[in-house]
Amino acid sequence: MKQTTKTSYHIPVGPIHPALKEPVFFEFEIDGERIVDVNVKLGHVHRGIEWASRKRNPIQILYLAERICGICSYCHPAAFALAVEDAADIQVPERAEYLRVIQGELERICSHILWAGVAAHEIGFDTVLYLTWQMREKALDLTEYLTGNRVTKAIIMIGGIRRDITKDMLPKIQDALKYFKDNFEKIRHIFLDDKTVMMRSQGCGILTKDDALKLCAVGPTTRASGVKKDVRVDQSYFAYGDLDIDCMTPDKLTGEVNGDVYDRIIQRLLEVKQSIDLIEQCVDRMPAGDIVSEPKIAKLLAQLKRVNGEGVGRHEAPRGEVIHYVKFDGENESPYTWKVRAPTYNNILPWIPMLKGEQIADIPIVAASTDPCMSCTNRVAITLGSKKYEMDKEELHRLSVEKTRRLMK
Amino acid sequence: MAKGLTKSFKKALWVYHCNSGSCNGCDIEIIAALCPRYDVERFGIRLVGSPRHADVLLITGPVTRQMEDKVKRIYEQMPDPKAVICIGNCGNTGDVFYESYNLVGPVDNILPVDMHVIGCPPRPEAIILAVAKAWVKLETLEA
């Protein structure tokens, strides 16, 4: 019998790009163009955010939480506020609950549109990147109009929200929503009917329902595999209990669930539509009243200082469920402990079943389909025996674009 | 446009963006500056994928301990003349992370910074202004 030696390449990806709170290190085992195995290591760099919280009071922590991630700058302070309210038994005024939903859904629209652009860029479709980011600017304009800032909004407050939406602000919101609806159709057509996008995304990076459940994937990643898991539906918080909301899964549009990249695109587009609808519902049904339970910050801090207990806050961020846990000891102003679990943490492990058996050129789009921070893939070094050469993100991107061109022929 | 910049620019400015542990806030504003609303590409400003091609280094984030040598290496790989722009409060002062045990920043401690852009995150207009000022520096050096 002829002896064959096993020749496979190892491609380490990362970990030096601490772009997000969880910089990652991947080691791909490659046989030719096929990915045989993927190994993931987490927890390389951190900025000591949870540690810093031990010296600060809950209001200061709101700003700290906001800077965990610049793209999810609403959902982290929101989950933290929920946790503190849970611990301190603070009742939030009803109007504030509706305003919180509006802000949350606006962030979801921003984030999903941003993602659509990045995904298009990964398969070499830069025109769509510019088109979607033009749409995103409109969403940012609305954010700026409602909160006063484009990215870090500082809109949430323990026990309520900082800014009200008055009657004279409504026409601008409706204008923006109308703009989203008109342009949504354009984006839907590009992503769902375009031959190139279909060729690159259908049957690629499949995550089965079983795997999604086993690996605890969250958010659009798990819903695209047919798991009906959405904090907004499962646990009634903010004003979601009063609103007409249902778990979105891709079969609502196509009638079947494949769990591939294409389904994750459909999933996010459906969610943008759902968010527009939710904002409209909120604007219609918002009751009058206070927007914050305790407007005097000194009084609120004194109240929080006396709290002895723990609380959990769960919020459905654009990328999935974010959980904050906070514990007060009743003596100090700063919390005894604060723990954050961000959605990308759960969505990294599903990369393993998604990437197995795929080609190197598919790494960018498959990885991007879970909406992580792609800067992790900025540097790839290929080890071939003792020879080492580097492959950067541009090289990966070039491979990806070339594959699109090959398929078009 | 910044004072001192000639009407016809001598060269197109290529920019390399390095994230040293930031929260992504500044990074998306940099991309926003490249996209249709602000569209800096019409001035020839381009984001490039390698520091070896770049004239200007945009650095975001408070520089975590693990990133220190990588940031230095990127700076050394850039050809002269070069300019460094530090974007965002956390790179300039540490911002909310100022006392963290895992930071070696501000960026001033590690690299010679030419332009400081303040804001958390700064608006795209502020980033574009800083790049235009860097342009002045490079053109003055060349003359």
Side-chain angles (χ1 to χ4, degrees):
Chain A
M1 209 176 116
K2 205 176 142 197
Q3 280 264 310
T4 48
T5 45
K6 195 186 169 204
T7 48
S8 61
Y9 299 80
H10 282 269
I11 309 185
V13 179
I16 59 103
H17 245 277
L20 260 180
K21 56 257 159 228
E22 50 255 326
V24 280
F25 175 79
F26 289 96
E27 194 169 8
F28 293 100
E29 199 183 323
I30 306 285
D31 180 20
E33 270 281 313
R34 293 268 152 210
I35 301 163
V36 186
D37 202 1
V38 192
N39 191 15
V40 190
K41 279 181 200 162
L42 292 167
H44 282 269
V45 183
H46 74 154
R47 289 162 291 176
I49 290 179
E50 284 168 16
W51 173 84
S53 77
R54 292 178 165 194
K55 296 182 176 177
R56 301 181 195 192
N57 69 39
I59 306 238
Q60 288 169 326
I61 294 175
L62 280 179
Y63 298 99
L64 202 56
E66 195 162 34
R67 279 153 187 84
I68 291 175
C69 173
I71 301 171
C72 319
S73 61
Y74 174 78
C75 54
H76 282 291
F80 176 73
L82 280 169
V84 174
E85 283 154 16
D86 183 19
D89 242 345
I90 295 174
Q91 285 297 320
V92 179
E94 210 177 326
R95 186 175 176 83
E97 299 276 39
Y98 279 88
L99 290 168
R100 283 177 168 191
V101 172
I102 293 179
Q103 298 292 348
E105 296 305 320
L106 190 56
E107 183 182 75
R108 197 180 315 278
I109 294 175
C110 275
S111 178
H112 282 349
I113 294 177
L114 180 153
W115 173 84
V118 172
H121 171 75
E122 296 303 348
I123 53 173
F125 212 159
D126 272 349
T127 330
V128 183
L129 168 75
Y130 292 127
L131 197 78
T132 49
W133 279 66
Q134 203 167 17
M135 243 180 109
R136 182 175 172 270
E137 283 292 334
K138 203 82 182 171
L140 285 182
D141 281 350
L142 185 60
T143 312
E144 194 180 358
Y145 183 64
L146 296 179
T147 68
N149 209 345
R150 284 162 58 93
V151 179
T152 41
K153 303 158 196 126
I155 185 74
I156 205 136
M157 187 64 201
I158 293 162
I161 203 155
R162 278 185 213 269
R163 285 197 189 192
D164 200 358
I165 293 176
T166 49
K167 266 218 174 80
D168 55 310
M169 289 165 110
L170 293 179
K172 260 203 172 164
I173 299 178
Q174 263 132 16
D175 272 1
L177 290 179
K178 190 171 172 298
Y179 174 86
F180 293 143
K181 273 191 205 156
D182 295 347
N183 281 269
F184 176 80
E185 197 47 40
K186 213 164 156 188
I187 301 278
R188 191 198 66 81
H189 174 67
I190 291 168
F191 274 104
L192 301 188
D193 306 332
D194 189 271
K195 218 168 114 196
T196 324
V197 177
M198 280 162 111
M199 278 193 294
R200 282 305 299 275
S201 61
Q202 276 179 342
C204 162
I206 291 175
L207 179 70
T208 58
K209 193 173 177 178
D210 273 357
D211 280 339
L213 282 170
K214 261 189 239 156
L215 296 167
C216 299
V218 289
T221 311
T222 193
R223 289 197 285 277
S225 298
V227 182
K228 295 200 179 222
K229 188 156 98 179
D230 189 327
V231 191
R232 294 173 294 172
V233 180
D234 301 339
Q235 184 198 26
S236 156
Y237 67 106
F238 290 173
Y240 286 118
D242 305 346
L243 301 171
D244 178 21
I245 176 172
D246 193 19
C247 243
M248 281 286 175
T249 39
D251 54 329
K252 294 218 161 147
L253 189 77
T254 56
E256 53 176 0
V257 176
N258 299 315
D260 53 6
V261 174
Y262 190 65
D263 272 4
R264 288 193 278 279
I265 296 174
I266 296 177
Q267 175 65 29
R268 287 203 172 76
L269 292 177
L270 284 173
E271 282 183 22
V272 171
K273 211 168 179 191
Q274 189 185 31
S275 292
I276 297 173
D277 180 48
L278 283 171
I279 295 180
E280 276 181 337
Q281 286 185 38
C282 281
V283 170
D284 287 345
R285 295 189 195 173
M286 238 178 347
D290 288 339
I291 56 161
V292 69
S293 64
E294 178 52 69
K296 290 194 186 99
I297 286 179
K299 212 171 157 190
L300 177 68
L301 281 176
Q303 185 193 344
L304 289 175
K305 202 178 168 182
R306 289 194 303 273
V307 175
N308 188 353
E310 51 187 10
V312 174
R314 294 165 74 203
H315 172 60
E316 182 74 19
R319 293 146 195 225
E321 180 187 21
V322 49
I323 302 175
H324 281 226
Y325 166 84
V326 70
K327 184 176 179 182
F328 293 97
D329 57 8
E331 288 162 29
N332 294 308
E333 204 175 31
S334 45
Y336 180 73
T337 182
W338 171 42
K339 173 80 190 121
V340 180
R341 208 276 284 126
T344 310
Y345 195 85
N346 291 34
N347 285 343
I348 289 285
L349 283 175
W351 282 25
I352 299 171
M354 276 183 211
L355 285 171
K356 263 188 199 169
E358 298 294 342
Q359 295 186 348
I360 303 178
D362 288 326
I363 295 176
I365 181 64
V366 171
S369 73
T370 67
D371 197 4
C373 190
M374 265 309 284
S375 12
C376 301
T377 5
N378 256 3
R379 271 167 43 94
V380 179
I382 298 184
T383 323
L384 171 58
S386 58
K387 264 190 254 160
K388 224 181 197 183
Y389 64 97
E390 284 194 352
M391 208 158 106
D392 56 11
K393 193 181 170 200
E394 285 212 326
E395 180 73 13
L396 272 180
H397 181 67
R398 189 184 56 77
L399 282 175
S400 180
V401 173
E402 274 171 9
K403 185 173 176 188
T404 305
R405 288 199 188 121
R406 275 205 306 279
L407 286 170
M408 292 293 283
K409 270 171 200 164
Chain B
M1 267 291 147
K3 217 175 142 191
L5 192 61
T6 44
K7 265 186 191 161
S8 57
F9 320 123
K10 278 187 200 135
K11 60 178 177 185
L13 209 57
W14 284 12
V15 174
Y16 181 73
H17 165 219
C18 164
N19 179 335
S20 71
S22 97
C23 73
N24 281 343
C26 301
D27 312 278
I28 47 174
E29 289 296 61
I30 291 172
I31 310 291
L34 291 162
C35 282
R37 168 76 62 90
Y38 298 97
D39 196 15
V40 290
E41 258 180 49
R42 68 202 145 129
F43 305 122
I45 301 174
R46 261 194 73 195
L47 213 56
V48 289
S50 164
R52 291 177 202 279
H53 302 157
D55 304 298
V56 173
L57 174 64
L58 297 183
I59 178 156
T60 57
V63 193
T64 53
R65 205 167 291 284
Q66 290 87 333
M67 279 304 285
E68 187 186 5
D69 56 321
K70 279 110 191 163
V71 168
K72 275 186 192 155
R73 216 156 71 199
I74 286 169
Y75 179 76
E76 280 155 14
Q77 282 176 2
M78 285 171 63
D80 280 321
K82 56 193 166 190
V84 179
I85 303 176
C86 177
I87 290 178
N89 279 354
C90 55
N92 286 315
T93 63
D95 205 27
V96 287
F97 317 118
Y98 71 101
E99 55 190 357
S100 172
Y101 50 85
N102 204 33
L103 303 184
V104 287
V107 181
D108 277 317
N109 296 349
I110 301 155
L111 302 178
V113 179
D114 295 299
M115 250 67 68
H116 300 270
V117 187
I118 300 294
C120 189
R123 296 182 64 89
E125 288 95 332
I127 298 172
I128 296 167
L129 178 65
V131 173
K133 281 186 175 166
W135 219 333
V136 177
K137 180 203 165 181
L138 293 178
E139 292 212 340
T140 326
L141 280 178
E142 213 166 72

